[in-house]
Amino acid sequence: MYQINDNYQKLPGSYLFSTIAKKVAAFTEANPDKSVIRLGIGDVTQPIAPAIIQALHKAVDEMADAASFHGYAPDLGHEFLRHAIAENDYKKRGCSISEDEIFVSDGAKSDSGNIQELFDVNCKIAVTDPVYPVYVDSNVMAGRCGVYDSDSQTWSNVIYMPCTRENHFIPEFPKETPDIIYLCIPNNPTGTTIPKTKLQEWVDYANEKGAVIIYDAAYEAYITQEDVAHSIYECMGADRCAIEIRSFSKNAGFTGVRLGFTVVPKVLTCNGVSLHAMWARRHGTKYNGAPYIIQRAGEAVYSEAGQAQLKEQVAYYMKNASVIKEGLSAAGYEVYGGVNAPYIWLKTPGQMSSWEFFDELLEEANVVGTPGSGFGPSGEGYFRLTAFGSYENTVAALERIRNL
Ligand SMILES: *Cc1c(COP(=O)(O)O)cnc(C)c1O
């Protein structure tokens, strides 16, 4: 008789968003006259920019004609898109990443979940705490995390690097040496970043210890401060220790369109084995490419009109971020993030737990956010609000919070 992959049974249920949904549903049922504003979502709300829509329409029409029809894309993705990425995301920032080191995909979630396949089951991962759940859960499925302890909400075989106000949300080198280090900068959920000099220290550390860094730069477009790197390859030696994952979801509203890419430099090797060759093999075997139409839409992200429109879109969300940040600060809250990311991470007032604050905010202000404890034990006592709502709703929500 067959057996299942028992590692799936180890996963604790993801109660965070279902518990939120249940609580909100119960509240709205009991209070049908109250309008609830949701600032908990991690999804964009603005429509796809006109330059991209235009590219989509054009690509759809091409598919209707045998002369311009496109079937399977090349394994790494269409050259026109990889060229635009290499030029705009890397060459312009002084990073020597070539087109054939870029692997186009359907998004950063799949890549950040799949990348662990390249590594031995005995490799030990290190994650920041709080953290985007995909990194840990995908390693649990692969049998790399040991056993879960529900009291401490940690896995026995995972190295946690707490990121709290005490260390300014900058992860410290762990006592135990990790093999695989996940970094997400700008960070979801905390909305914070680390200076480029600190990132360089992490790159040096990884090279010295023989560790690999999985660098999730999904929020790169939101960086406003000069001293924050847009790519890990801005750091010396990063091409020998880092894989970078990017997404078109947050910079261009592609959450429902699906496009991303992963950079695996050719000089990145482990005991003489090329990780680029491994990822190419994996990509060619298990993935048949993002749709041609969507890759054309991705190309339009880098067009002059696309860039201008997206700059406005990001600015729209960042205006919301400053409304939240300034509104909360004025109301006496301790707030972090919101400068280089569309997330605001606030310290709950007094000794309130994340969930206690969630309940108060829902019941008294009719505003929904996300309890920080849902992202890891060090998120306890914090709370996430997102800038992805409409400006009007964001202003209204802050008005309510200030009147609490
Ligand atoms: C939203 C998000 C992603 C994006 O994933 P896609 O699959 O490209 O939509 C990746 N990483 C983090 C940390 C995110 O918040």
Side-chain angles (χ1 to χ4, degrees):
M1 181 173 161
Y2 71 90
Q3 286 181 346
I4 56 156
N5 175 354
D6 238 0
N7 295 312
Y8 278 66
Q9 300 303 100
K10 297 180 192 166
L11 288 163
S14 171
Y15 297 120
L16 181 62
F17 290 99
S18 61
T19 308
I20 292 173
K22 271 184 212 143
K23 281 184 179 252
V24 174
F27 179 80
T28 48
E29 199 179 1
N31 304 275
D33 54 317
K34 302 252 167 76
S35 80
V36 170
I37 300 178
R38 290 159 209 267
L39 298 184
I41 41 161
D43 195 357
V44 295
T45 53
Q46 291 288 297
I48 303 283
I52 300 165
I53 292 293
Q54 208 178 358
L56 277 166
H57 280 299
K58 183 165 173 275
V60 167
D61 287 339
E62 280 180 55
M63 297 300 261
D65 186 341
S68 52
F69 166 82
H70 283 81
Y72 290 128
D75 275 358
L76 271 63
H78 283 287
E79 203 270 341
F80 60 78
L81 177 58
R82 287 184 292 113
H83 177 74
I85 293 168
E87 284 295 312
N88 292 280
D89 286 327
Y90 295 105
K91 205 168 169 189
K92 277 188 188 162
R93 298 209 178 271
C95 309
S96 58
I97 294 297
S98 61
E99 288 164 29
D100 58 0
E101 294 175 307
I102 296 163
F103 297 79
V104 174
S105 74
D106 63 353
K109 187 187 232 181
S110 12
D111 284 353
S112 60
N114 290 329
I115 197 75
Q116 47 76 29
E117 276 186 33
L118 302 191
F119 308 107
D120 187 86
V121 70
N122 295 312
C123 283
K124 194 146 189 176
I125 71 161
V127 293
T128 59
D129 169 23
V131 70
Y132 180 62
V134 174
Y135 314 146
V136 174
D137 287 3
S138 57
N139 278 287
V140 171
M141 291 169 178
R144 213 174 268 117
C145 295
V147 290
Y148 187 69
D149 176 56
S150 52
D151 288 337
S152 63
Q153 295 169 51
T154 56
W155 293 88
S156 61
N157 208 30
V158 171
I159 299 169
Y160 292 89
M161 305 181 288
C163 290
T164 61
R165 58 182 176 169
E166 284 73 25
N167 60 17
H168 309 285
F169 304 94
I170 298 174
E172 291 152 33
F173 300 137
K175 286 193 194 79
E176 190 184 349
T177 303
D179 300 304
I180 306 167
I181 301 158
Y182 287 87
L183 294 177
C184 172
I185 299 162
N187 191 257
N188 176 13
T190 66
T192 58
T193 55
I194 71 176
K196 190 168 157 180
T197 48
K198 278 280 166 199
L199 186 61
Q200 180 66 58
E201 288 175 22
W202 271 100
V203 168
D204 295 343
Y205 172 86
N207 275 325
E208 184 195 317
K209 303 286 184 187
V212 65
I213 296 175
I214 309 298
Y215 193 75
D216 185 338
Y219 295 95
E220 172 274 332
Y222 292 85
I223 295 172
T224 61
Q225 288 178 317
E226 278 292 319
D227 69 335
V228 180
H230 287 252
S231 163
I232 195 167
Y233 303 116
E234 289 176 39
C235 295
M236 294 260 295
D239 54 353
R240 284 183 286 114
C241 68
I243 290 172
E244 180 163 291
I245 298 173
R246 295 262 193 122
S247 168
F248 289 80
S249 286
K250 314 295 165 40
N251 65 334
F254 276 33
T255 53
V257 175
R258 311 305 310 140
L259 193 66
F261 62 90
T262 285
V263 177
V264 189
K266 288 191 168 161
V267 294
L268 180 55
T269 58
C270 178
N271 291 325
V273 177
S274 157
L275 267 65
H276 180 279
M278 288 177 74
W279 191 243
R281 185 62 196 258
R282 194 238 170 241
H283 222 55
T285 302
K286 294 195 179 184
Y287 186 61
N288 245 341
Y292 170 73
I293 299 161
I294 307 304
Q295 295 196 45
R296 280 292 182 199
E299 182 189 28
V301 164
Y302 298 99
S303 68
E304 208 174 304
Q307 287 289 289
Q309 291 160 11
L310 293 177
K311 207 170 154 188
E312 267 180 48
Q313 207 168 74
V314 167
Y316 177 91
Y317 293 131
M318 287 311 276
K319 190 168 151 198
N320 291 345
S322 62
V323 165
I324 300 173
K325 200 174 168 81
E326 281 159 28
L328 288 173
S329 299
Y333 289 88
E334 208 183 304
V335 288
Y336 304 95
V339 176
N340 298 295
Y343 296 113
I344 281 81
W345 189 244
L346 67 100
K347 184 76 193 75
T348 56
Q351 296 301 310
M352 257 188 183
S353 74
S354 298
W355 277 110
E356 282 166 354
F357 187 71
F358 175 91
D359 290 336
E360 178 176 289
L361 207 59
L362 176 60
E363 282 155 28
E364 307 300 328
N366 314 141
V367 172
V368 180
T370 313
S373 55
F375 299 100
S378 295
E380 181 58 274
Y382 293 90
F383 199 78
R384 191 189 77 174
L385 292 173
T386 87
F388 284 135
S390 71
Y391 177 70
E392 294 71 23
N393 275 349
T394 306
V395 169
L398 263 292
E399 184 70 23
R400 293 183 192 177
I401 294 173
R402 291 181 67 163
N403 290 332
L404 269 184

